[in-house]
Each structure stands twice: as C-alpha cells, then as structure tokens.
Amino acid sequence: MGLRKKSKNPAVFSHEFVIQNHADIVSCVAMVILLGLMFEVTAKFAIMFITVQYNVTYMDVDEGNDSISYYVYGFKDLATVFFYMLIAIILHAVIQEYILDKINRRLHLSKTKHSKFNESGQLAFFYLFSFVWGGSILTGEKFTTDPTLLWEEYPHTQMFFQVKFFYICQIAYWLHALPELYFQKVRKEDIARQLYYICLYIFQITGAYILTLHRLGLILLVPHYLVELLFHASRLFYFSDENKQKGFTLWALLFVMARLLTLTLSVLTFGFGLARAENQDFSIADGNFNTLTVRISCLAAICLTQAWMMWKFINFQLKKWREHTQNQIPKKKVVNTKNKPSKRECNKCIRRKIKKYSKTPMKNYT
C-alpha cells in the first residue's frame, strides 16, 4: 500500500495563493488600520479611514438650540470608501464559505448553475440589506411624500449621517465587486456581463453622490433594489427546485413598474424641476451642477440605462417563452430503422418461400 500524497501548497504570492488567502490578506490590512487607533501618532490617519468625515454642526433654534450635524463630501471620503471596501471583501468571503458553499454541496449543481447560484446568493444578501437600510432612511425623509423637494433648494450639499454612510457603503460594495471577479474565478463568459452592471452601479451612484443628487439617487435605488432582490431570490429557489417559477412573474411586473417610476422621476427632476430653478450656475465649491449640459447628460445616462435594462428584460422573457413552448410540444416517436430489413432482403425472403411451397406435393382432398 502506497502512502497518500498530500496536495502541494501554492507558492507564496502566486495567483493561486492570493485567491485562496485573499480574505486573510485583506483582514490583515483592515487590522493594521484598526490598530492605528491605539497610537496617538497614527490615530489621526486611521480615523480618516474608519469614521465618516466632513461633519458640519448647526444650532437649531426651533428645537431649543439643539445641535444638528450634517455632512458634506470631500477627498477624504476615498479613504473611508477604501476601508469599507476591505470590509465588503471580508463579508463576501464569509457568506461564500459558511452559507453558499454549504448549500452548493447539497444541491450538486453544474458548473454554470454553480456560478450563477453564487452570484445570486451574494447579490440577494446585499440587496436585502440595502433595501431595508434605504427604506428606513426614506421613512424619515419628507421628499418621499413631496417630490418637489427633489429639486427645490438645490444644491443639496448637506446630508445626514445615515445618508452619507449609505452612499459610502454602496460605492465601496460595488468597487469590491471588481476584484471579486478575480478572487472568485468568474468564467470568461460571465465577466463581460457582470462588468456591465458593476460599472453602471459605480458610475451612477458616484454621480448622484458627487452631483449632490443624493435625494433622487436614494429614492430610485430603494425600489430598484427591491426588484433585484426578488429576481435573485426567485433564481435561488429555481436552482433548488425548477418548478418554483412564480417569483419570476411578480418580478416581471415590478420590473416594468420600477422602470416607469425611474423615468418619471428623472424627467420631472431634470426636465422640469431643475430646469426652472433660479440658481443655474456651475460651481464646484458650492456643489452646484445645475447647468443644461449636466442635466441633459444625467437624463440621457438614466434613459439609456433603462432602455438597456428593458432590452435585456425583453430578451430574457422571449427566451423563457421559447423554452416553455418547446416543452409543451409533444415529441414525435422516433422509428428505429436499424433492425428494419432492407428491400433487397425482403425480396430474397419472398423468393425462398415461393421455392419452398412449389416443391411440396399437393394433397388430394377430393
């Protein structure tokens, strides 16, 4: 009997080593930043990564001179985004190892379904968390009941803590999705598709944050995340049991409604609200980007994105409809022609029988 060979560990700092241990490496980097808080020399640099920066405090006379803290954005937010991008990579690895991998072992999925299951599992957790968090923020905002507040008193440079932290976490999560394409060994066929929507999220969420359109961005993201949550949850149930497809019907209805809501609010904000505002000067210092070029660019970007999503949606529905119609058509019975004798062989058999009966004497029954 031969001894069982042990699998060789990958070389340090090789591609396989980084992929296998990326969560531990990122955890060490995050721990170094956290340890910086323990020393006075490095605390002022470490706190820039961990806490939300650029707070402004005002005294509210109507509420008995209570202080109200608002936040604006600045270059130090890049450090905060970087730190929470590391946290997103760690959480991604935890969800993958302790939840999704265990479910995958029970389902015994194929390679294609395995990759899609992991993608939907990760996104379902994120969409659920973001929808609950964004919904709780919207419950305390007045512009949910009064849409005119989306463009009145623009620019909206000041944000509450929850709003700014929400945007920082959103940007950090979608930035972390870029290296995850490498860490998770995503198939080449899926890289282009995932890059499209990851870059769209980064571009539009960052644009709403920098252009001080966080109110519009927040009210558009929450219903969109609800629709995406329903789709990926339905896909997870579909992988566990292919008969469970009712969730896709509800998702299709809400998807169209979300697209109409997005287009309506965008046209109202950029085409009517901001276009009629008095302050239409371009000023980076004041956070005012209410110019004709910016408005047209923003509206065109949103409309093109919605058109692209509807095109993908229509193609998806047509594909499902074709698969459904093909399954409904009964399959024709295939005749087995391998054992069927040829015409020449049949003629030979007939001649043999004729000769056999011609040689046998006729009996006289009269």
Side-chain angles (χ1 to χ4, degrees), residues 88-106:
I89 293 174
I90 298 170
L91 292 176
H92 189 115
V94 171
I95 294 172
Q96 184 66 44
E97 183 176 355
Y98 292 99
I99 299 177
L100 297 180
D101 286 345
K102 291 183 178 180
I103 298 174
N104 273 320
R105 294 190 195 102
R106 295 181 180 180

Side-chain angles (χ1 to χ4, degrees), residues 203-245:
F203 175 73
Q204 297 198 358
I205 294 175
T206 307
Y209 183 69
I210 294 176
L211 299 177
T212 63
L213 295 168
H214 55 86
R215 294 183 181 181
L216 179 63
L218 188 62
I219 203 171
L220 293 182
L221 273 178
V222 172
H224 173 74
Y225 280 166
L226 174 62
V227 175
E228 293 298 310
L229 169 63
L230 183 59
F231 171 75
H232 289 285
S234 301
R235 194 156 75 163
L236 291 175
F237 285 116
Y238 174 77
F239 288 143
S240 62
D241 185 2
E242 293 186 356
N243 295 322
K244 297 179 179 179
Q245 301 186 21

